[in-house]
């Protein structure tokens, strides 16, 4: 009963996150005119992700404190309150939806529209190879982000750390993300996307190797700072790659496919690494 309720809540939360995050990324991408300078475009999208990193900095520490102070119910109450505030703020977003195409019988054929949507997404990936490569690279880079989010807190809990200490260590990672994202656009303009992607993957991999030696809190903080920097550049990099790869009219589809690729990673990562940790 309780597990079923939690799973149902996760489904609702996942659908809502997919729709809202795709819409926000599309709005940010469309805010940058295609005629604008590409370097400025990189910086604008980097600043968009910087705001997200502010919440990632405060979230773990606040969650750890609330968990130790009031337990999980307190966390859920705060989480629900924040969602309620976000719901109210959506009225400030401009309405860019198109009028629904109405069938002869006066009702919209949602089944046909759904199939056309999937077909449009597949067609975009099939004909736009640059976009397809961007989506694949986004998935690979997001694996490091998801590993940090899903398994690292469990790893720290195994080391016997309190929830407050775990939250503080996670906030170190968020701090490095906070520092790297405002300059991501500038760094990409100077070094190029290829060097940034390779460096991000190499640093993230080395951090995973270091964790295998169960370092102390000091070295853990250093590892998390480096890991946060390497994974923190993932989101602005992916947004920039997708934004440059598709036309303005395809931005909504492109950003939604990118978000869906992240959800595919979130689906496969726990299954794969959960099996690996169970066996080894």
């Amino acid at each position: 009963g309780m597990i079923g309720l939690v799973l149902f809540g996760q489904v609702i939360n996942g659908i809502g996150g997919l729709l809202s995050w795709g819409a926000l990324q599309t709005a940010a991408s469309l805010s940058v005119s295609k005629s604008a300078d590409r370097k400025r475009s990189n910086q604008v999208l980097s600043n968009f992700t910087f705001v997200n990193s502010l919440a990632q900095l405060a979230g773990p520490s606040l969650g750890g404190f609330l968990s130790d102070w009031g337990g999980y119910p307190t966390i859920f109450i705060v989480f629900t309150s924040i969602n309620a505030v976000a719901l109210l703020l959506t009225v400030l977003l401009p309405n860019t939806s198109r009028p629904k195409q109405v069938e002869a019988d006066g009702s919209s054929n949602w089944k046909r529209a759904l199939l056309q949507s999937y077909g449009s997404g597949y067609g975009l990936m099939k004909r736009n190879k640059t976009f397809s490569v961007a989506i694949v690279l986004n998935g690979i880079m997001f694996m490091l982000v998801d590993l940090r989010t899903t398994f690292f807190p469990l790893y720290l809990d195994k080391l016997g750390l309190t929830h407050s200490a775990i939250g503080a260590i996670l906030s170190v990672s968020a701090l490095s993300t906070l520092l790297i994202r405002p300059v991501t656009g500038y760094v990409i303009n100077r070094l190029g996307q290829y060097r940034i992607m390779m460096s991000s993957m190499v640093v993230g991999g080395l951090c995973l190797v270091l964790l295998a030696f169960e370092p102390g809190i000091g070295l853990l903080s250093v590892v998390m700072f480096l890991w946060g920097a390497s994974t923190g550049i993932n989101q602005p990099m992916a947004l920039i790659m997708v934004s440059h790869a598709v036309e303005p009219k395809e931005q909504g589809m492109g950003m939604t496919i990118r978000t869906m690729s992240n959800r595919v990673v979130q689906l496969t990562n726990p299954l794969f690494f959960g099996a690996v940790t169970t066996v080894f």
Side-chain angles (χ1 to χ4, degrees):
M2 180 60 68
I3 294 179
L5 184 61
V6 171
L7 292 177
F8 177 74
Q10 285 292 87
V11 170
I12 299 298
N13 189 37
I15 294 175
L18 177 64
L19 295 175
S20 61
W21 191 233
L24 285 173
Q25 290 176 122
T26 303
S29 180
L30 291 176
S31 69
V32 182
S33 172
K34 282 294 178 181
S35 62
D37 179 64
R38 175 164 288 195
K39 292 183 177 180
R40 173 171 170 76
S41 170
N42 294 347
Q43 293 169 354
V44 170
L45 291 175
S46 298
N47 291 336
F48 169 76
T49 61
F50 169 72
V51 177
N52 184 48
S53 63
L54 291 174
Q56 291 178 327
L57 174 64
S61 294
L62 178 62
F65 169 76
L66 292 176
S67 176
D68 288 337
W69 175 67
Y72 291 119
T74 304
I75 296 179
F76 286 121
I77 291 173
V78 174
F79 177 76
T80 303
S81 301
I82 294 175
N83 275 276
V85 173
L87 180 62
L88 295 175
L89 290 177
T90 56
V91 300
L92 301 177
L93 292 176
N95 184 11
T96 58
S97 62
R98 300 175 181 176
K100 293 183 179 180
Q101 294 183 352
V102 180
E103 300 293 327
D105 61 357
S107 61
S108 59
N109 192 333
W110 64 270
K111 292 183 179 180
R112 181 182 301 176
L114 182 64
L115 293 176
Q116 288 177 345
S117 179
Y118 280 111
S120 299
Y122 173 76
L124 176 61
M125 296 191 68
K126 184 177 180 180
R127 71 175 182 271
N128 192 331
K129 300 302 181 184
T130 302
F131 172 71
S132 298
V133 172
I135 292 299
V136 172
L137 290 174
N138 170 78
I140 295 174
M141 297 168 73
F142 189 74
M143 283 184 67
L144 289 171
V145 178
D146 193 54
L147 280 173
R148 185 189 68 188
T149 304
T150 306
F151 288 98
F152 191 64
L154 299 177
Y155 170 80
L156 295 178
D157 184 67
K158 177 188 173 185
L159 296 181
L161 300 178
T162 64
H163 290 177
S164 297
I166 294 174
I169 293 177
L170 292 176
S171 289
V172 170
S173 176
L175 175 62
S176 64
T177 300
L178 185 70
L179 296 176
I180 193 67
R181 281 186 174 172
V183 298
T184 298
Y186 174 79
V187 173
I188 293 174
N189 293 336
R190 293 282 297 179
L191 301 179
Q193 295 180 1
Y194 175 78
R195 292 179 180 176
I196 296 298
M197 284 187 294
M198 292 302 296
S199 300
S200 174
M201 294 178 187
V202 169
V203 172
L206 289 176
C207 290
L208 287 175
V209 172
L210 289 175
L211 290 178
F213 297 97
E214 297 189 359
I217 293 182
L219 185 56
L220 270 176
S221 299
V222 174
V223 169
M224 284 306 294
F225 188 87
L226 294 175
W227 199 354
S230 65
T231 57
I233 210 168
N234 164 70
Q235 186 184 11
M237 172 70 75
L239 285 175
I240 289 169
M241 288 191 300
V242 172
S243 177
H244 290 173
V246 298
E247 296 299 321
K249 64 180 180 180
E250 299 173 325
Q251 289 289 335
M253 180 65 71
M255 292 301 174
T256 303
I257 291 176
R258 174 195 171 262
T259 305
M260 288 185 65
S261 72
N262 291 346
R263 298 301 172 264
V264 170
V265 171
Q266 288 180 319
L267 174 65
T268 57
N269 258 6
L271 296 175
F272 175 74
F273 287 100
V276 169
T277 54
T278 299
V279 174
F280 296 101

